[in-house]
Amino acid sequence: MMYTVDEIFSSFFEEKKSTFLSFLSPIDDMESLHVTLKNEHPKAAHIVWAKRYFNEFRQIVENNSDDGEPKGTSGPPVLNVMRGYELVEVGLLIVRYFGGIKLGTGGLVRAYGRSAKEVIAGASLVPFVFKELLTCKTIYSLVPRFEHYVMHHDLQVKERLFESDGVVWRFELSEAQKQAFLHFALAFERDGFSLL
């Protein structure tokens, strides 16, 4: 089973006076987090990162950066830890402050790997489920019924647009949620429900 995270988690680790600040984030937050970390830690020696996410064909895409550390000593070990935990749709960034003692290539590999493991161990991992967007519209008299369904089935409403003739709903649903929702909603087709 694959896992992901819904929020950003962080941890701190020290090795021979070098400090490693690790951040595990949802893939959608990774770029802004990277910018924030660069601004907040201008004196950091390196900000190493790795990420795993799905492309539009539901294939896993992986990427990483050593950010100036010796090639292969930081980004790839972090990515390997992420693979081991079967993490997807996440990014992992590690801010390193150099403490004056060189760790050597083996020491760097171990330190970055341990940093990645520690932030993952402290994170609340959630099972990853593919979700797709579904857009539909209801007339206003149906809104209370649909709000009741959404609340009792814990559906994720991405957006609601109130128009003159009804409400446009955008949901992010798993396959099982989609089938159950359509079973409920299509019964109201004659009463003012439509898929968009």
Side-chain angles (χ1 to χ4, degrees), residues 101-157:
I101 300 170
K102 293 198 177 208
L103 300 179
T105 54
L108 285 170
V109 169
R110 284 189 297 278
Y112 278 104
R114 181 171 167 194
S115 296
K117 285 178 184 166
E118 288 199 6
V119 73
I120 293 167
S124 298
L125 302 182
V126 292
F128 175 78
V129 178
F130 277 108
K131 294 192 173 182
E132 59 181 286
L133 287 173
L134 182 135
T135 307
C136 60
K137 188 169 185 174
T138 60
I139 60 169
Y140 278 102
S141 61
L142 287 178
V143 168
R145 285 186 182 176
F146 278 74
E147 284 176 339
H148 180 83
Y149 183 90
V150 165
M151 195 172 76
H152 281 79
H153 291 83
D154 201 25
L155 298 189
Q156 187 175 4
V157 180

Side-chain angles (χ1 to χ4, degrees), residues 18-29:
S18 277
T19 51
F20 297 84
L21 307 169
S22 304
F23 300 86
L24 180 65
S25 90
I27 196 73
D28 292 344
D29 299 331

Side-chain angles (χ1 to χ4, degrees), residues 1-5 24 52 60 62 76-90 92 112-128:
M1 176 178 279
M2 294 179 286
Y3 295 91
T4 192
V5 290
L24 180 65
R52 298 184 84 221
I60 293 178
E62 300 177 328
V78 171
L79 187 57
N80 282 333
V81 170
M82 294 169 72
R83 285 183 191 131
Y85 282 90
E86 295 193 57
L87 294 179
V88 290
E89 292 297 312
V90 296
L92 204 159
Y112 278 104
R114 181 171 167 194
S115 296
K117 285 178 184 166
E118 288 199 6
V119 73
I120 293 167
S124 298
L125 302 182
V126 292
F128 175 78

Side-chain angles (χ1 to χ4, degrees), residues 40-108:
E40 288 180 358
H41 301 279
K43 292 186 165 70
H46 310 278
I47 301 181
V48 166
W49 57 264
K51 60 184 175 180
R52 298 184 84 221
Y53 61 95
F54 286 99
N55 64 15
E56 66 270 28
F57 306 110
R58 293 192 176 183
Q59 298 164 316
I60 293 178
V61 177
E62 300 177 328
N63 207 340
N64 68 84
S65 166
D66 292 316
D67 191 37
E69 291 280 30
K71 188 167 171 50
T73 61
S74 48
V78 171
L79 187 57
N80 282 333
V81 170
M82 294 169 72
R83 285 183 191 131
Y85 282 90
E86 295 193 57
L87 294 179
V88 290
E89 292 297 312
V90 296
L92 204 159
L93 300 105
I94 301 176
V95 178
R96 179 188 178 201
Y97 281 93
F98 182 58
I101 300 170
K102 293 198 177 208
L103 300 179
T105 54
L108 285 170

